Every structure is written in structure tokens, then in C-alpha cells.
Amino acid sequence: MIRVLLADDENLIRSALAALLALEEDLEVVAQAASGAEALAMARAHTPDVAVLDLQMPDRDGISVAGELATVLPGCAVVIVTGHGRAGHLKRALEAGVRGFLPKTVSAPVLTDVVRTVHRGGRYVDPELAAEAISAGDSPLTPREADVLELAAGGAPVEEIAARAHLSPGTVRNHLSSAAGKLGAANRHVAVEVARRHGWI
Amino acid sequence: MIRVLLADDENLIRSALAALLALEEDLEVVAQAASGAEALAMARAHTPDVAVLDLQMPDRDGISVAGELATVLPGCAVVIVTGHGRAGHLKRALEAGVRGFLPKTVSAPVLTDVVRTVHRGGRYVDPELAAEAISAGDSPLTPREADVLELAAGGAPVEEIAARAHLSPGTVRNHLSSAAGKLGAANRHVAVEVARRHGWI
DNA sequence: GGCCCTCCATGACAACCGTCATGGAGGGCC
DNA sequence: GGCCCTCCATGACGGTTGTCATGGAGGGCC
């Protein structure tokens, strides 16, 4: 019997996934959590074999939870499930020791199979996402460019970004321009979109 | 026995919800669909009693599907389920004849109860969302302002928006400025964010 | 009809943003 | 040390954007 921890902030989805996993005879959902912090607490309390984490949770993302889980409970394999599959997230997840990475578009049997696979010590990442991650490669943005672009994500004017980053407005414009050029974007706003789509910010 | 149609583009979530509903003795999932068009086709073929539709689907949103369903299959009650609950969407959904409206954060028993409620002819909207919709009120944007703001959503330059809307660039700027003013936004990009958050575009 | 209101459309002006050229700071390599 | 490279920072220039004042079109109301 594989003991599973399930974490997702959307109660309906979490309950539904629990119902789905419970249909399998060799799987048992021993704990559920609605946030990253709760997931860690539940993991300590119930020592599950496999943790299935949603990527997006209100307090912290599933990847940082996975990273902490790797030190707290090394024997527990982690599977990340996400609505929007971004190549950058996959890369960060694998660096954090995640053993399975799936978009929510996969069919139900895939999830149960992946839970079994990672429990046996195997790995699984969605083939389409893997291809995208390989072709996309690393982020072309320098650290400052990524910082500034992130601050620009809310649509803030340049001067406000400059104040927050402790930079001259001219420097901010330059970083934004450089980032937009690297991302093939006509202006910083579409640059933000592109970077988000790739998981680079 | 209540015959249910389930539509959601994320296969995993759809399967999980199906498993959840199948646990209830008085509910039966008679058809599933991964897109709006498929949902309509399935509805014609299987004449379900209740349709549970995701708000966001690749081809068309759940509300437009609900509107068409109301004419094609008047006896079928519609429940909309959504990840991000926006007040504007709720309003549009009710105008389209939707009888139930839920965010995915609700607990599992709520969904099954709502399916039963709408099947009996009742209605249900999430209380928190209802309160937000009432306090938020109608969109303050004029039709043209909403059109132009929607075209600006991708970060396109003004001239491109003007070409698509068959307007002068000056007029486009004016509409954007007016919309931003009404929304309390410093520029059109945050205006887009605000309008999206309220479901006005 | 006459009046008022909102919405739509346009152009002028100032402020903002993207691009360029330039130079300093730090790390890898011979 | 000397060289080269990338990253970071700054200011000047031209195009784009946001704001304002203005006027026409259409609908509701007396």
C-alpha cells in the first residue's frame, strides 16, 4: 500500500483527486493539505511515501515545498501537478529533487502510474513539457534583468521600478530594453508575458 | 438518478471530478467533454439533466456554452465551476441562464449538493462571490472602452489597436485614458489587470 | 421641436518610454 | 600583470503614450 499526501489549495479539486486515487487498490490518501505550510506539517505528522503537490498555492509554490521536503523527509518522493506547464518551472522542480512533473491535462491513469513509478524510485516528466524545456533552454536573462522585469510585471511606471530596485530610471529602461530584445518582444509588457510563459520570472 | 454532463479541458481534473460525482448514489456521469464544442455535441447526444462546465476552456468559455445550451436543451440545468471567481463572470453567467456558480475552492459536498439543487429547479451561487458581485456593481466601461481595452490586453502598441478597431490612434488613446481613469489605474496595463480581475473584459 | 445627456471621434501638447553610445567593475584565462 | 568578456550603470535622442479641449451623432424627456 502506497501512502499518499495530497496538497492543493482548491478544495474541490483536492477532494476530487483524492476520490480518484482512492479508487486504486494499492494507493491510500493518508493526508490532505490546502497550503504549502500545511503540507509540510502533514508530511511530518504522517510520513507519506509520495507527496502530490499543486504547483500554485497561496503561501508558497510547490517547488519550494518540495525542496524543504527533500531535507525533512528524504524518503518521500514528490510529484508536482500544475495547471499551466512552464518549462522553467520544470527545470527548477528537477533541481529541487522533484521526481514527477505533470500538467493537469494528462489523463487520470497517468497520475496513478506516476505515483507508483516515483514510489519505486523512478522518475517521470510529461514528454511534451520535457521537449519544451530542452528546446527552450535556460533563461537568457541576467539576474538584474529578471529582477527589473519582475518589478515591471504589475504595469508599474519606470520611475517606481527604479525606486524599488535602487537604480537610475535610465538603467531600468536599459535592462528592460535588453530583456525585451532577448525575448523577441516589442515592449516590456509582452516581454513580461513571454518570460512568464517560460517560467523565467 | 440525475444524469450529469461534465466538461473541463484538463483531463486529470475532469476525471477526478467524475470519480467524485460517481461516489454519489443518485448521480451518474453520462458524458464528458474537453472543450466547449464537444460539450454541446455531447449534450445533444446524451440529453443530460445537469451540465457541469468549467469556465475556462480553450475554444470558448463556459458561459457562451451555457447560453447556447439554454436554447438547444432548455431542460438541462447548468452549473459553472471556475478557478478564479470573478464577479463580472458571475453576472454574465446568470444572464445566460446559469443556475449554479462555484469557485473551485469550495468543498466537495457543496458541488454534489448544488447539482441536486439545480436539478430540482433551484439556484445556487457561492455566497462570497455573490457579495463581491453586488458590491462591485456593473462595469463602468462603455462598450468601446471595453473593446479597446481588450485589444490592449496583449501589450500591443496603440497603432495596432487602432488598426484592428478601425479607429484613429488618438481616439484609441482617449478610450484607454478614460477607461484607466474609471478604473483608478495609472496606465492602461494596470487598467487591463483591474478589468480582468473584475471580469469586465 | 428644443433641451440635455452620454458616447464617440479627432488633433495638439507634454511626459514617458525604448534605443543607442559610452564607460566602469569584476571574473576567467594565458 | 595583461587581455578579453559579460554585466551593470548612466545620460542624450526620437518615437510613443497619456491628457486635455473640442465638436458631432444619437437617444430620452418635456
Side-chain angles (χ1 to χ4, degrees):
Chain A
M1 186 68 93
I2 304 176
R3 296 157 46 77
V4 177
L5 163 69
L6 196 54
D8 192 321
D9 59 311
E10 298 180 323
N11 290 306
L12 185 56
I13 302 307
R14 177 161 38 81
S15 304
L17 287 173
L20 186 72
L21 293 175
L23 293 178
E24 305 295 312
E25 294 183 351
D26 55 339
L27 303 183
E28 181 185 8
V29 178
V30 296
Q32 298 189 24
S35 71
E38 197 180 339
L40 283 168
M42 286 293 184
R44 282 180 225 266
H46 294 88
T47 62
D49 301 315
V50 177
V52 176
L53 309 178
D54 191 273
L55 182 60
Q56 296 144 307
M57 284 188 285
D59 53 343
R60 52 196 295 185
D61 74 12
I63 294 174
S64 80
V65 174
E68 194 164 335
L69 210 52
T71 65
V72 173
L73 216 67
C76 176
V78 175
V79 176
I80 296 274
V81 176
T82 174
H84 320 281
R86 308 283 164 77
H89 293 151
L90 170 56
K91 196 166 289 247
R92 282 196 292 142
L94 291 178
E95 286 166 3
V98 167
R99 302 256 284 281
F101 197 94
L102 298 173
K104 283 180 179 169
T105 50
V106 303
S107 66
V110 172
L111 176 63
T112 53
D113 276 352
V114 169
V115 169
R116 295 189 188 99
T117 300
V118 301
H119 180 241
R120 282 197 310 267
R123 291 175 167 227
Y124 182 88
V125 303
D126 181 71
E128 196 167 337
L129 233 50
E132 192 186 329
I134 293 168
S135 71
D138 276 327
S139 169
L141 303 176
T142 68
R144 281 285 186 276
E145 284 166 0
D147 288 349
V148 172
L149 198 57
E150 181 135 24
L151 288 172
V158 169
E159 198 158 350
E160 184 181 329
I161 301 171
R164 287 204 203 177
H166 304 290
L167 289 177
S168 152
T171 304
V172 170
R173 281 203 289 271
N174 217 344
H175 282 304
L176 289 174
S177 176
S178 171
K182 287 176 179 175
L183 269 44
N187 58 46
R188 64 202 163 117
H189 303 286
V190 317
V192 167
E193 289 293 314
V194 173
R196 279 234 178 91
R197 190 159 51 243
H198 286 281
W200 291 333
I201 62 170
Chain B
M1 187 68 94
I2 303 176
R3 296 156 46 78
V4 177
L5 163 69
L6 195 54
D8 191 321
D9 59 310
E10 298 179 324
N11 291 305
L12 185 56
I13 302 307
R14 177 161 39 81
S15 304
L17 286 173
L20 187 72
L21 294 174
L23 293 179
E24 305 295 313
E25 294 183 351
D26 56 339
L27 303 184
E28 181 184 8
V29 178
V30 295
Q32 298 190 23
S35 70
E38 197 180 339
L40 283 168
M42 286 293 184
R44 282 180 225 267
H46 293 88
T47 63
D49 300 316
V50 178
V52 176
L53 309 178
D54 192 272
L55 182 60
Q56 297 143 307
M57 283 188 285
D59 52 345
R60 51 195 296 185
D61 74 11
I63 294 175
S64 79
V65 174
E68 193 164 333
L69 211 51
T71 65
V72 174
L73 217 66
C76 177
V78 175
V79 176
I80 296 273
V81 176
T82 173
H84 319 282
R86 309 283 164 78
H89 292 150
L90 170 55
K91 196 166 291 245
R92 281 196 292 140
L94 292 179
E95 286 166 4
V98 168
R99 302 256 283 281
F101 197 94
L102 299 173
K104 282 180 179 170
T105 51
V106 302
S107 67
V110 173
L111 176 63
T112 53
D113 277 351
V114 170
V115 169
R116 294 189 189 98
T117 299
V118 300
H119 180 241
R120 282 198 311 267
R123 291 174 167 230
Y124 183 90
V125 304
D126 181 70
E128 196 166 338
L129 233 50
E132 192 187 329
I134 291 167
S135 71
D138 276 327
S139 168
L141 304 177
T142 68
R144 281 284 187 276
E145 284 166 1
D147 287 350
V148 172
L149 198 57
E150 179 134 25
L151 288 171
V158 168
E159 198 158 351
E160 184 181 329
I161 301 172
R164 287 206 204 176
H166 305 289
L167 289 177
S168 151
T171 304
V172 170
R173 282 202 290 270
N174 218 343
H175 282 303
L176 289 174
S177 177
S178 171
K182 288 176 180 175
L183 269 44
N187 58 47
R188 63 201 163 117
H189 303 286
V190 315
V192 167
E193 288 293 314
V194 173
R196 279 235 178 91
R197 190 158 52 243
H198 287 280
W200 291 333
I201 60 170

